[in-house]
Amino acid sequence: MNYILLGPPGAGKGTQAKKIVEKFKIVHLSTGDMFREAKKSDPSIAALMEAGKLIPDEIVVNMVKNRLKKDDVKNGFLLDGFPRTLKQAKELDKSLKTENIKIDGVFSIIIDNEEAVKRISGRRVCKCGASFHIKFVPPKDADKCDYCGGQLTQRADDKEEVVRERLSVYDKQTKPLIDYYKNSGLLIDIDGLQNEKIVFEQISKFIENGR
Ligand SMILES: [Zn+2]
């Protein structure tokens, strides 16, 4: 039960990943989590992350390779945030071969860019950790947190122009990756505009059927 989860920012990938690993008791291999972990022991990674720079391909690939050697992945895993580029996908294939691991499917959650922009740029957060959405989860009092009354703000990353840039980077990087998995017969397209429950049901069905 080994899967890869792809999706642009705003597709609800994080929510789905959490549900999938819970239901199917497989390991969540999130490169985001790996980076946060590596940051604690590796000052060079910490420096890159703090400067907002991308972690070089080689480091990411090695991180995932080492992770795949651990015993807990033998019962199945969900790769999330990796691979991001065609080069990474090919490197991944090499090390999967070495470890004798097979990928069962690659879920690609699809939403259009306008919907992604709507979902992300409407997010508002509070210092207490609460988060809202001006349209989908609006605070009772505009710009004020329901829980602590704090001022709600928009993350720099969530601003419309930044979101559009992130989406265009995703499109550019992921397009060859999608084609690659389509050609290998692993790609499973999921319509991410549907309700998140339906999205999860569809993904679950594929996994239950051994896809
Ligand atoms: Zn608050």
Side-chain angles (χ1 to χ4, degrees), residues 123-180:
R123 287 180 192 158
R124 297 294 180 271
V125 293
C126 175
K127 270 186 276 181
C128 77
S131 59
F132 300 85
H133 190 286
I134 50 173
K135 207 165 147 219
F136 307 131
V137 197
K140 285 190 197 96
D141 195 356
D143 294 331
K144 291 248 158 38
C145 175
D146 285 3
Y147 307 99
C148 75
Q151 179 72 35
L152 298 179
T153 56
Q154 185 182 37
R155 278 196 203 106
D157 243 20
D158 292 347
K159 294 204 191 299
E160 180 170 342
E161 59 276 19
V162 181
V163 177
R164 290 200 187 273
E165 177 58 24
R166 284 163 65 198
L167 289 167
S168 109
V169 169
Y170 179 86
D171 284 343
K172 231 177 278 162
Q173 287 188 333
T174 328
K175 180 102 198 356
L177 193 62
I178 302 260
D179 291 340
Y180 179 71

Side-chain angles (χ1 to χ4, degrees), residues 46-182:
L48 282 172
M49 288 178 75
E50 265 142 43
K53 294 211 172 102
L54 279 177
I55 315 275
D57 254 5
E58 222 180 87
I59 297 180
V60 185
V61 169
N62 275 327
M63 226 178 248
V64 175
K65 275 185 179 169
N66 290 329
R67 186 64 186 83
L68 286 170
K69 287 193 175 102
K70 292 194 178 161
D71 274 343
D72 61 349
V73 304
K74 301 283 186 286
N75 298 321
F77 59 81
L78 179 72
L79 262 174
D80 171 11
F82 184 91
R84 218 158 251 196
T85 63
L86 184 56
K87 198 175 152 211
Q88 289 183 354
K90 289 181 172 167
E91 286 294 322
L92 173 67
D93 275 354
K94 273 191 227 159
S95 62
L96 290 173
K97 211 173 231 174
T98 316
E99 302 297 325
N100 210 4
I101 298 172
K102 201 179 115 270
I103 295 290
D104 297 293
V106 177
F107 293 108
S108 169
I109 306 181
I110 300 167
I111 61 166
D112 60 75
N113 285 357
E114 293 316 307
E115 175 69 14
V117 168
K118 218 191 295 166
R119 288 183 183 181
I120 302 175
S121 63
R123 287 180 192 158
R124 297 294 180 271
V125 293
C126 175
K127 270 186 276 181
C128 77
S131 59
F132 300 85
H133 190 286
I134 50 173
K135 207 165 147 219
F136 307 131
V137 197
K140 285 190 197 96
D141 195 356
D143 294 331
K144 291 248 158 38
C145 175
D146 285 3
Y147 307 99
C148 75
Q151 179 72 35
L152 298 179
T153 56
Q154 185 182 37
R155 278 196 203 106
D157 243 20
D158 292 347
K159 294 204 191 299
E160 180 170 342
E161 59 276 19
V162 181
V163 177
R164 290 200 187 273
E165 177 58 24
R166 284 163 65 198
L167 289 167
S168 109
V169 169
Y170 179 86
D171 284 343
K172 231 177 278 162
Q173 287 188 333
T174 328
K175 180 102 198 356
L177 193 62
I178 302 260
D179 291 340
Y180 179 71
Y181 286 125
K182 198 181 272 170

Side-chain angles (χ1 to χ4, degrees), residues 104-105 180-188 211:
D104 297 293
Y180 179 71
Y181 286 125
K182 198 181 272 170
N183 290 334
S184 56
L186 289 173
L187 194 74
I188 303 162
R211 233 334 280 277

